[in-house]
Amino acid sequence: MSPVHYVALSAILFVIGGVGVLVRRNAIVVFMCIELMLNACNLAFVAFANMHGNLDGQVIAFFVMVVAAAEVVVGLAILMAIYRARRSASVDDANLLKW
Amino acid sequence: MTTLTTIAATGVLRESWLLLAFPLFGAVVLLVGGRRTDRWGHLLGVAMPIASFVYGLIAFFTLLGDTDRSQDTHLFSYIPVAGLQVNEGLLIDQLSISFVLLITGVGSLIHIYSIGYMQHDTDRRRFFGYMNLFIAAMLLLVLSDNYLGLYVGWEGVGLASYLLIGFWQFKPSAAVAAKKAFVVNRVGDFGLTVAIFLMFAEFGTVQFPGVFGSVKAGGSGVATALGLLLLLGACGKSAQVPLQSWLLDAMEGPTPVSALIHAATMVTAGVYLLVRSNPILADSPTAQLGITVVGAVTLLFGAIIGCAKDDIKKALAGSTMSQIGYMTLGAGLGPAGYVFAIAHLLAHGFFKAGLFLGAGSVMHGMDDEVNMRKYGGLARIMPVTFATFLFGYLAIIGIPPFSGFFTKDGIIEAAWDKGGTSGAILAGCALLGAGLTAFYMTRVMLMTWFGKRRWVEKAHPHESPGVMTWPMILLAVGSVFGGGFLIIGHRFENFLGPVTGLPPTSHGIWSVAGIIALVLALGGVGLAWSMYGRVAVPAEAPRGRFPVVAGRKDLYGDAFNESVLMRPGQWLTRLSVYFDNRGVDGLVNSLAALIGGTSGRLRRMQTGFVRSYALSMFFGAALLITLLLVVRL
């Protein structure tokens, strides 16, 4: 299989994730879309690493996973707190931090 | 051309700091001690200048015995840093010791007189405190061996003058006069300050020997600038045109103050400054010309004012201004005039102090009445005051063998010897001034002492007590013999010559100029007698024609200052305020409003919708990547 397929798949996943972030209101779903985008990136990294025959991209993929895990921990904690306060997980409702 | 070389002081002269320490101690005790010292304060205040005078006499006779007569005592250094080495020391030489004897001698007599004059004043102790402060500052002025120390003394006497003019500060006129004197003096002080800056920048030192040694190498441009700046300083302190306006108002102070500060000593500090700086003036004919012009103009200016005033102190103040004009004229004539300028200064210190004390004695006996039209016929009631006043009068108008004849004629002759048109004009002014002097002084004499009694019944004029008359008698003795003692046999010339340079031509006692001056003086006396002696003096001032009206208004000095300096100054201030409010503030405020308004609008972009932030991040990232691709390709 040529790397083009992997990159194409990665692009498709990234666009799905991006559109999900922009159009969905539920914070949980937004999170999952962000995870989707991150993993699309990981796929691209690994594909290119394989193509170039070195390990740089794979190492970066590990870093991305670590960051993603940390982000989910913090993000879900905030989400829990918001949900408890407002009985809603909609990102449009949490709009107090503005002008 | 003389330069100043000094040696370290020897023997008793090493203790010259005592001169300053005595009056300073008195001032500190009296001013810090407050009401506790009220009972004996005046005695301490009198003892301190006398102590200085005694030391001054010892120093003087020691100096006469020495061959090296410029003896310097190092006191301390002002904050010595790499390039800034200013040593403070006291220089005793022929010039400074002459001033020391004048200041402490006349000062002591006036202090004694003040015991009687200020007897009924509840603040007599404070008065003596200020007077001692003045003596200390004046001694620092004449004794410092550098311009910075001189400047400290210069400001010190300015402060003492301010405090003493405004001594009766409950009188608004006295408070205003004090402020005026201070402000006008600031203009002159500015000149002296800049001169010191310039010396430091050009020569790297402000010590007299250092400055005088390097002024020749500095070029005539620097010498001229220094000379004119020093002249500005001298004009302020010595009430010379154009900074003359404060002296007449300064008569608001108690009369002993007028005698000591505004006649005998402080106002002559400008002449001291010019004569001390003679090596600077020697390199600048322009500065010398400026000094002679100022002197000649002022001697006529003061004399004309003196002719028109009915207030006895103001008439004498005009006379002071005029006599200092003579000294300034002498100081501008180079070595030909320095000796006579200082000799006239010393003689003037005696007779003018005596005249002021006489005026004070009359005021003391007449309930502080100063209007001479309310005097008349006092000669028989106050015989001692009259006699001392008479000797002072004969001295100032230059009748031989009294003081003024010798010293004033020396200046007139020196002006005549200058030669050329300028010499003739200067000598002409000086001769005219001699005639005017005789006129206004005779007028004062006749209006005060002779004629019908014009005082109101309740005045009860009476002779002053001995504590006031004895100083006047001693000053009168000085007025009679002082000038002759200094000039006959070239005594003072030979004494002061090493500091100032000897006059190129030597004169006898009688000369053509001296005789013309004497004839003019007698003419002035005759004219005054025909106007105020032969006919009765009206008790109310007649309206008078132009010159009299102008003289009464100080020859429009105040009007000039107001219209030329004060009003334009106010316009300038208003213009600056307008420009500041509308221009500077407008620019700053509109810039602030622009930034504030813009950011207020930009703030609206923070909507609080997370998804719109995400969208803008997407667009931003897309834009960034597109740009990268475009640039890369």
Side-chain angles (χ1 to χ4, degrees), chain B residues 208-219:
Chain B
F208 289 146
V211 171
F212 299 159
S214 41
V215 70
K216 193 91 183 163

Side-chain angles (χ1 to χ4, degrees), chain B residues 80-100:
Chain B
V81 191
L84 179 72
Q85 295 287 345
V86 182
N87 295 323
E88 177 60 44
L90 299 180
L91 170 68
I92 294 200
D93 67 354
Q94 294 94 320
L95 183 59
S96 62
I97 199 74
S98 306
F99 271 87
V100 166

Side-chain angles (χ1 to χ4, degrees), chain B residues 241-472:
Chain B
V241 177
L243 299 178
Q244 83 290 356
S245 62
W246 65 271
L247 185 61
L248 290 153
D249 290 357
M251 294 300 125
E252 287 292 341
T255 308
V257 173
S258 310
L260 180 61
I261 301 186
H262 304 118
T265 55
M266 186 195 82
V267 284
T268 58
V271 181
Y272 169 79
L273 178 70
L274 294 176
V275 174
R276 176 58 87 192
S277 310
N278 67 78
I280 295 175
L281 303 183
D283 280 342
S284 173
T286 315
Q288 287 191 325
L289 182 68
I291 294 168
T292 50
V293 169
V294 166
V297 169
T298 309
L299 78 89
L300 290 177
F301 204 93
I304 293 169
I305 292 174
C307 292
K309 290 287 180 185
D310 287 334
D311 178 329
I312 185 168
K313 285 182 75 181
K314 293 205 169 176
L316 290 176
S319 161
T320 302
M321 199 190 286
S322 166
Q323 298 301 314
I324 296 173
Y326 274 105
M327 300 169 207
T328 307
L329 171 62
L333 293 171
Y338 292 135
V339 173
F340 295 109
I342 298 297
H344 192 51
L345 193 160
L346 299 178
H348 175 258
F350 276 92
F351 61 65
K352 184 53 65 63
L355 289 170
F356 263 111
L357 294 191
S361 178
V362 172
M363 286 163 58
H364 194 65
M366 298 273 294
D367 285 342
D368 288 330
E369 176 63 62
V370 290
N371 189 352
M372 291 190 289
R373 294 190 185 277
K374 300 273 163 59
Y375 292 171
L378 290 171
R380 261 166 300 168
I381 297 165
M382 302 181 179
V384 181
T385 306
F386 169 65
T388 58
F389 203 90
L390 179 68
F391 286 128
Y393 159 75
L394 291 173
I396 191 175
I397 66 172
I399 301 291
F402 298 94
S403 281
F405 169 72
F406 298 100
T407 54
K408 196 196 287 174
D409 287 1
I411 295 174
I412 298 174
E413 279 162 35
W416 184 261
D417 286 343
K418 188 169 187 278
T421 324
S422 65
I425 292 173
L426 292 175
C429 288
L431 286 169
L432 185 60
L436 284 171
T437 305
F439 175 79
Y440 67 69
M441 283 314 297
T442 311
R443 178 171 172 273
V444 170
M445 279 301 281
L446 293 170
M447 287 175 81
T448 306
W449 304 106
F450 298 102
K452 286 208 174 60
R453 300 172 173 193
R454 296 185 299 275
W455 66 77
V456 289
E457 263 320 307
K458 62 176 168 54
H460 302 307
H462 56 85
E463 181 60 280
S464 301
V467 72
M468 289 169 69
T469 49
W470 275 107
M472 287 162 24

Side-chain angles (χ1 to χ4, degrees), chain A residues 18 21-25 37 91-92 94-95 97-99, chain B residues 603-611 613-616 618:
Chain A
V21 168
L22 291 179
V23 301
R24 298 302 298 262
R25 289 193 182 81
M37 289 162 75
V91 290
D92 285 3
N95 64 354
L97 195 64
K98 61 179 179 184
W99 49 268
Chain B
R603 205 171 58 178
R604 297 279 158 185
M605 290 171 68
Q606 302 283 326
T607 51
F609 279 111
V610 178
R611 294 185 298 146
Y613 298 164
L615 185 63
S616 54
F618 269 108

